[in-house]
Amino acid sequence: KYFKNKFKIYLISASSVKEKGSNIKLISLKNYSFVNIKNAVSQIPKKNTVFLFLNGSYDDQPFYKISNKKIQEIIKINLTLPLLATKTVLNFNISNKNKFIYFSSSRALKGDLGIAVYSATKTALNGLVRSFTQEYSNLDQEFYLFSLGLFKGGMESKLTEKVRKKLIDQTPNKKNVNKNDLIKTLKLILNSSALTGSTIKLDNGYS
């Protein structure tokens, strides 16, 4: 919402998206197959672009009870999808400068009860960013990982009060991250390349 009046935004999603605006183009996908991702990316103009991977799926049961189908879904959404999309972009637009920003979770990176598969996939993004930075920096491609704490709404609203209190208790200032801090960090990334390859923690010091 903040950036829609400043940039042309392309929303690529297989889910229902409500955000509208003259500067927003929604590219709806039936599913996240490689062909569909390729077709979606091909609709984005070939110029300097920032890609935000806001995808997320998480464990909804204890690991030993979770279905094989759900495990595969979490891996696909959290890890396979960003990999395929990044590969598509690099094939399609590697001659231009691009910034790739992947979203992870400080709780996932630390590890916690009940999020084994989610944690495994989101932690893997850290290695992905480091490797991609080594491989493609000389081609003017930048990669970042945002490690998020609790924000109001979204996945935070799915937590039980007991889990939410535990996470807040492990956060020094005992409060959610402000969305304006995320906006400020995104603006910094847009205007600088010095942090490429970094895992940037936006979690109020969660530990």
Side-chain angles (χ1 to χ4, degrees), residues 1 3 6 13 37 49 62 65 67 71 84 87 93 98-99 108 122 130 138 147 150 159 161-162 167 172 186 194 202:
K1 291 180 180 180
F3 289 103
K6 303 176 182 295
S13 179
I37 293 172
T49 307
K65 289 186 176 181
S67 69
I71 291 174
L84 289 179
K87 178 184 177 183
N93 200 26
N98 298 293
K99 295 176 185 279
K122 288 298 185 180
R130 290 180 180 275
N138 63 328
S147 179
L150 284 182
L159 300 174
E161 185 55 34
K162 180 180 179 181
L167 298 179
L186 283 168
L202 292 161

Side-chain angles (χ1 to χ4, degrees), residues 30-48:
K30 184 176 181 180
N31 55 58
Y32 291 117
S33 68
F34 179 74
V35 172
N36 286 344
I37 293 172
K38 182 178 180 181
N39 290 338
V41 171
S42 69
Q43 297 181 49
I44 300 174
K46 287 188 176 182
K47 57 182 180 181
N48 300 349

Side-chain angles (χ1 to χ4, degrees), residues 87-152:
K87 178 184 177 183
T88 304
V89 172
L90 292 175
N91 273 284
F92 176 73
N93 200 26
I94 200 169
S95 60
N96 292 299
K97 182 174 183 176
N98 298 293
K99 295 176 185 279
F100 299 84
I101 301 175
Y102 308 89
F103 285 80
S104 184
S105 154
S106 291
R107 183 187 176 206
L109 294 184
K110 178 185 177 184
D112 201 356
L113 299 172
I115 57 169
V117 186
Y118 174 77
S119 181
T121 55
K122 288 298 185 180
T123 301
L125 295 174
N126 184 60
L128 179 155
V129 165
R130 290 180 180 275
S131 292
F132 281 169
T133 300
Q134 295 295 320
E135 292 178 33
Y136 299 107
S137 289
N138 63 328
L139 296 174
D140 232 4
Q141 308 299 305
E142 299 176 16
F143 303 89
Y144 306 86
L145 183 66
F146 281 13
S147 179
L148 305 181
L150 284 182
F151 284 77
K152 186 175 181 180

Side-chain angles (χ1 to χ4, degrees), residues 3 7 15 47 56-57 81 101 112 137 147 155 171-172 175 205:
F3 289 103
F7 302 100
S15 303
K47 57 182 180 181
S57 181
L81 174 58
I101 301 175
D112 201 356
S137 289
S147 179
M155 291 181 69
T171 304
K175 61 183 180 181

Side-chain angles (χ1 to χ4, degrees), residues 59-68 71 114-117:
D59 312 40
D60 56 4
Q61 289 182 300
F63 177 73
Y64 71 96
K65 289 186 176 181
I66 196 169
S67 69
N68 292 341
I71 291 174
I115 57 169
V117 186

